[in-house]
């Protein structure tokens, strides 16, 4: 049968989201989720929320959540942008800021969504190799470009740049927008936020999915100059004015208002990370220094794919990327101490 | 100061979302919100939801909500697409299906977001005039095009097309994707859903914001052939895999599972609409026949802009569009009987 309407459809390779096993008795260390619940205030928001208010549209501008974030980061509310997870924020930022004919630059090993957005929005790009320690080499970004996007710390490798290195990068890239994707920054890395005052072309993107245990609520945000944020708002409002539902806005605010719980949760994850890294090294693994809530590891005598398959049988899910340079590495999310003990025990069995 | 990075920013006219007054003592008839709360099951979902599960990503595929919608509409789950409000669904559908060099077609007076998306995605378009009764003239769509998008019933005019007219439109537009935007269909119009079996190029878009009282929760969906839905999923997963948060998925499911409450709420709105239309006609207004939860009205001796301004002073908010052909019309959302009585009393005072 002739179907001429098919010619008018977007030709695109389907991007498949990562595996999310649902069984109850598994250990899930594959999606960099936080093993601890969100701030207690989030449960209270849900318990007391008046459902009848859901008949009304939410605040398109997210005024209260923006105010809480502005206070937390010592910026002005018009310097804050909200999105439906940091993927939404990044997708809008790519459309808003990478409108040049020159290629944008990002690391060869990095967040897998960057090339997907470049393809979707027809943005030219070039990758810059990480150095031999899997760290970002900022000198690789000293060339004409249409923009820069970097996770800091980088994913899935876990290495972070210092504030000096970030400033050096900005000084050499004043002609374009530089996006620092800080999805994992709260686990010990240095944030670029203090540079916002000085660099009007800097956009810092963060998420509540990792350090604030709110992956299920979809809350991301960007901090930047009022110029950059106004452009993001214009593009967002031309796409979907109401990306943040009323519950997400209220839950996000409750989380941001509880700094103590946030700090305490990050400290727990960091402590377990260091303890787990030591245990993995004792088993012969090479463990990259991590400033995130995951560990990137390799074993000199065992194949990563085999370890991954074995752990899967043991109902422990970690992440294996079959990609150049890292196809013998594994990414392991930091869970609770108990979960990590079970992981270490399973690895001992395997080795 | 020289700011070369500004050249790389997207040039776009900021689209400003409609006014959302927040004061407690107003009568809000300006956003086509439902005056009744969502199904009781929604409140129960919020009250009992375990916040600790928010640490995990939601189901990217929204399996349970898709199953509920598939059952409700007697289609297969791969024929259902979920989005962050119907604006998200429509924005993705424009990107997915309107990829031809030929202009897409839609009415000259219609949902104000269509031209915004065409501008954002560089989609060529032509508008087709509504007839003298502000109804869609389907013969205007009998010409080569890159796609068709129509609200049914149309907004802000409220007129609906019959199922026969919709089928006629599809028979004359087999070469492109036809999107029927059914935001208001549950208030008495005929849905195109029964045509899905026969027309693989038909996409029906609906929302839970109006008839299901869930504007604050951001839930839209599309129903179509597996071919169209697979293309939408591929584009969506290349943009943001997790658009629906865990609460929206659960609340949406609770709403869909309560058909009785849904039918009862729609009937109440329809009854108030007819009663209000009669009262407005008794005051001398011309009231277009409406199959929606709003009334589109004009007064032969009074200026719409003056009525709008007067009601605003009285803390009654309705909608006035200063646009060609309709600049002497007002759109009034159907509220409760009590709200409409207060509106009528205020109008009596004005006249």
């Amino acid at each position: 049968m002739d179907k001429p309407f098919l010619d008018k459809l977007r030709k695109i390779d389907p991007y498949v989201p990562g595996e999310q096993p649902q069984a109850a008795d598994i250990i899930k260390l594959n999606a960099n989720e936080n093993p601890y619940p969100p701030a207690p205030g989030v449960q209270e928001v849900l318990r007391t929320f008046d459902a009848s208010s859901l008949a009304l549209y939410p605040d398109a501008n997210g005024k209260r959540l923006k105010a809480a974030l502005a206070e937390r980061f010592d910026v002005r509310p018009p310097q804050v942008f909200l999105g439906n997870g940091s993927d939404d924020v990044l997708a809008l930022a790519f459309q808003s800021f990478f409108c040049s004919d020159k290629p944008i630059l990002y690391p060869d090993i990095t967040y897998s969504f960057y090339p997907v957005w470049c393809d979707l929005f027809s943005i030219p790009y070039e990758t810059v190799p990480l150095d031999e320690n899997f760290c970002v080499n900022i000198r690789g970004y000293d060339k004409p470009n249409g923009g820069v996007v970097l996770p800091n710390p980088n994913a899935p490798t876990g290495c972070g740049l210092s504030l000096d290195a970030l400033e050096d990068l900005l000084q050499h890239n004043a002609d374009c927008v530089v996006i620092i994707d800080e999805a994992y920054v709260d686990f010990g890395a240095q944030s670029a936020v203090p540079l916002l005052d000085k660099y009007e072309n800097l956009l810092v993107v963060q998420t509540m999915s990792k350090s604030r245990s709110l992956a299920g609520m979809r809350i991301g945000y960007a901090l930047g100059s009022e110029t950059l944020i106004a452009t993001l708002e214009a593009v967002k409002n031309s796409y979907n004015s109401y990306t943040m539902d009323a519950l997400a806005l209220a839950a996000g605010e409750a989380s941001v208002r509880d700094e103590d719980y946030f700090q305490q949760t990050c400290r727990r994850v960091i402590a377990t990370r260091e303890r787990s890294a030591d245990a993995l090294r004792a088993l012969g693994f090479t463990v990259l220094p991590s400033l995130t809530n995951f560990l990137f590891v390799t074993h000199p005598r065992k194949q990563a794919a085999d370890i991954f398959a074995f752990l899967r049988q043991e109902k422990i899910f970690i992440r294996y990327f079959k990609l150049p340079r890292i196809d013998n590495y594994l990414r392991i999310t930091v869970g609770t101490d108990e979960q990590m003990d079970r992981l270490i025990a399973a690895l001992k069995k395997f080795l």
Side-chain angles (χ1 to χ4, degrees), chain A:
Chain A
M1 188 186 148
D2 188 33
K3 295 177 181 174
F5 73 90
L6 293 177
D7 297 338
K8 285 158 180 150
L9 267 50
R10 180 88 184 213
K11 272 50 165 194
I12 192 161
D13 288 326
Y15 179 86
V16 181
E19 178 181 45
Q20 295 290 4
Q22 298 294 331
D25 59 340
I26 62 161
I27 296 184
K28 193 166 179 308
L29 305 174
N30 68 336
N32 296 343
E33 291 151 332
N34 198 309
Y36 304 109
V42 172
Q43 182 73 71
E44 196 56 17
V45 162
L46 302 188
R47 205 182 57 76
T48 60
F49 199 93
D50 175 12
S52 66
S53 71
L54 291 174
L56 303 183
Y57 281 90
D59 176 9
N61 197 38
K63 197 176 162 187
R64 289 174 56 99
L65 179 52
K66 281 186 185 174
L69 286 165
E71 198 179 309
R72 165 71 167 73
F73 289 102
D74 197 17
V75 297
R76 294 176 297 282
Q79 293 187 268
V80 183
F81 178 82
L82 301 175
N84 181 26
S86 64
D87 282 350
D88 181 41
V89 176
L90 287 164
L92 287 166
F94 272 54
Q95 290 175 84
S96 299
F97 304 134
F98 295 158
C99 302
S100 144
D101 294 333
K102 291 184 202 155
I104 69 161
L105 305 178
Y106 56 77
D108 61 339
I109 301 168
T110 195
Y111 185 35
S112 56
F113 239 116
Y114 298 162
V116 176
W117 288 318
C118 286
D119 287 345
L120 186 65
F121 306 129
S122 304
I123 298 168
Y125 65 93
E126 269 177 35
T127 61
V128 180
L130 295 184
D131 69 19
E132 64 285 3
N133 299 316
F134 287 142
C135 290
V136 168
N137 167 18
I138 57 163
R139 289 284 76 79
Y141 298 81
D142 294 348
K143 54 182 170 183
N145 63 63
V148 172
V149 56
L150 270 190
N152 186 49
N154 192 41
T157 58
C159 303
L161 291 172
S162 69
L163 199 56
D164 285 346
L166 289 168
E167 180 149 22
D168 187 346
L169 179 78
L170 282 157
Q171 282 169 343
H172 286 83
N173 286 281
D175 293 0
C176 68
V177 174
V178 176
I179 300 177
I180 305 296
D181 175 358
E182 298 190 344
Y184 300 102
V185 77
D186 297 320
F187 301 106
Q190 284 191 283
S191 171
V193 168
L195 301 173
L196 287 173
D197 272 347
K198 243 169 115 177
Y199 299 93
E200 214 183 336
N201 60 325
L202 166 63
L203 190 82
V204 176
V205 177
Q206 297 195 353
T207 174
M208 298 203 192
S209 297
K210 317 292 182 186
S211 55
R212 292 186 180 277
S213 311
L214 284 170
M217 205 74 250
R218 318 306 309 125
I219 309 169
Y221 52 95
L223 308 169
S225 60
E226 294 190 24
T227 309
L228 293 195
I229 299 300
T231 303
L232 264 178
E233 295 284 1
V235 174
K236 175 251 185 183
N237 282 322
S238 298
Y239 189 95
N240 183 5
S241 306
Y242 299 96
T243 51
M244 308 294 293
D245 65 54
L247 263 302
L249 290 171
E253 191 189 346
S255 173
V256 176
R257 294 290 184 199
D258 195 342
E259 184 70 19
D260 285 349
Y261 181 84
F262 167 72
Q263 294 292 350
Q264 179 194 324
T265 307
C266 292
R267 277 197 304 269
R268 283 176 84 175
V269 171
I270 291 168
T272 304
R273 178 186 73 207
E274 295 308 311
R275 182 177 166 277
S276 306
D278 289 345
L280 287 163
R281 287 191 188 104
L283 292 181
F285 281 92
T286 302
V287 182
L288 267 65
S290 170
L291 294 171
T292 66
N293 69 337
F294 58 80
L295 293 165
F296 202 55
V297 308
T298 187
H299 198 283
R301 293 179 310 277
K302 298 289 179 184
Q303 292 297 309
D306 296 340
I307 300 173
F308 174 79
F310 174 80
L311 289 175
R312 207 182 145 93
Q313 278 183 338
E314 300 283 307
K315 296 192 180 173
I316 299 174
F317 289 78
I318 62 171
R319 194 80 190 265
Y320 171 57
F321 301 92
K322 205 176 164 52
L323 292 173
R325 292 186 71 185
I326 58 168
D327 64 351
N328 205 30
Y329 280 79
L330 295 164
R331 192 194 71 185
I332 304 171
T333 301
V334 177
T336 60
D337 280 329
E338 192 204 334
Q339 288 176 321
M340 300 312 273
D341 287 346
R342 285 178 59 189
L343 168 82
I344 300 293
L347 287 171
K348 270 188 190 150
K349 193 167 139 191
F350 176 77
L351 294 165

